[in-house]
């Protein structure tokens, strides 16, 4: 499936306090992927990017914005323009409240569902025609638990195991690993 995409963007928040939080599910996936691919990273475009090239195929770029989630589209737009990647060839990985841990899905276009990272992507790409890989983090356990606190909280051990299953599925489906 990766051959239909040229740019993979992994949304998250920088800083040690956010490393293992639900909002950083995509960065956790990227860390796992990097372990499989041993990529060489460069600092540019307000983040880190790596080029993956298999002889005889177009290059693929993996990008981790180093801005906070609500500004992640800034560098993403820069790298997309620099490498002439249209929105249709971008796959954005992000956390998703409406999927339980262990679930994931890929879709193209659609709304941002209140996700500030996706809103920023849409704004800075000038299009909503990019694909999204939603990684389930589930909803807070009760209505009194604020969503902003939930996404910035750490996974419990059971959810972390479920997340690992989702990551295995994504790595297999997208990269054949």
């Amino acid at each position: 499936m990766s051959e239909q995409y040229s740019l993979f963007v992994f949304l998250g928040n920088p800083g040690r306090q956010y490393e293992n939080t639900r909002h950083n599910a995509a960065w956790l996936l990227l860390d796992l992927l990097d372990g499989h691919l041993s990529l060489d990273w460069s600092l540019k475009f307000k983040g880190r990017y790596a080029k993956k090239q298999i002889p005889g195929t177009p290059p693929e770029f993996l990008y981790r914005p180093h801005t906070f989630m609500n500004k992640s589209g800034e560098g993403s737009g820069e790298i997309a323009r620099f490498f002439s990647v249209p929105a249709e060839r971008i796959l954005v990985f992000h956390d998703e409240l409406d999927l339980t841990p262990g679930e994931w899905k890929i879709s193209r276009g659609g709304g941002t569902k209140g996700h500030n990272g996706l809103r920023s992507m849409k704004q800075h790409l000038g299009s909503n025609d990019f694909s999204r890989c939603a990684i389930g983090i589930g909803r807070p356990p009760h209505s009194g638990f604020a969503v902003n606190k939930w996404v910035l909280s750490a996974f419990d051990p059971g959810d972390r195991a479920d997340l690992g299953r989702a990551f295995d599925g994504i790595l297999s489906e997208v990269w054949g690993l």
Side-chain angles (χ1 to χ4, degrees):
M1 177 180 282
S2 72
E3 57 274 350
Q4 65 183 323
Y5 302 109
S6 299
L7 176 60
F8 300 89
V9 177
F10 298 80
L11 302 185
N13 280 319
R16 294 190 74 82
Q17 69 272 34
Y18 303 110
E19 281 180 2
N20 293 302
T21 64
R22 289 173 169 82
H23 226 11
N24 276 24
W27 280 18
L28 296 171
L29 172 65
L30 180 56
D31 291 342
L32 184 62
L33 178 62
D34 190 24
H36 285 282
L37 300 178
S38 300
L39 300 165
D40 289 323
W41 293 90
S42 298
L43 285 170
K44 194 171 181 175
F45 312 113
K46 299 178 183 170
R48 292 175 57 210
Y49 81 97
K51 179 179 177 182
K52 178 179 171 273
Q53 178 83 53
I54 298 171
T57 65
E60 296 175 356
F61 300 93
L62 292 87
Y63 175 66
R64 178 192 311 235
H66 282 185
T67 54
F68 283 94
M69 184 71 75
N70 61 346
K71 294 187 176 205
S72 53
E74 292 176 5
S76 300
E78 289 176 15
I79 191 171
R81 286 186 293 280
F82 187 85
F83 291 114
S84 301
V85 178
E88 306 81 51
R89 297 199 40 92
I90 298 172
L91 178 57
V92 178
F93 295 85
H94 65 91
D95 57 296
E96 176 59 57
L97 289 164
D98 291 333
L99 296 175
T100 61
E103 293 183 314
W104 62 278
K105 74 175 188 175
I106 295 177
S107 61
R108 179 179 301 273
T112 61
K113 296 172 124 179
H115 194 291
N116 290 330
L118 293 177
R119 185 177 295 123
S120 181
M121 292 295 299
K122 179 181 175 183
Q123 176 187 358
H124 290 279
L125 291 174
S127 171
N128 197 36
D129 207 17
F130 56 92
S131 293
R132 303 110 196 273
C133 181
I135 302 167
I137 63 168
R139 290 219 166 253
H142 55 81
S143 61
F145 201 124
V147 169
N148 63 331
K149 290 190 188 304
W150 177 252
V151 299
L152 296 178
S153 66
F155 288 98
D156 65 39
D159 288 347
R160 189 67 190 242
D162 291 336
L163 190 65
R165 278 196 339 273
F167 289 174
D168 289 345
I170 295 167
L171 293 176
S172 174
E173 178 76 21
V174 178
W175 288 282
L177 298 174

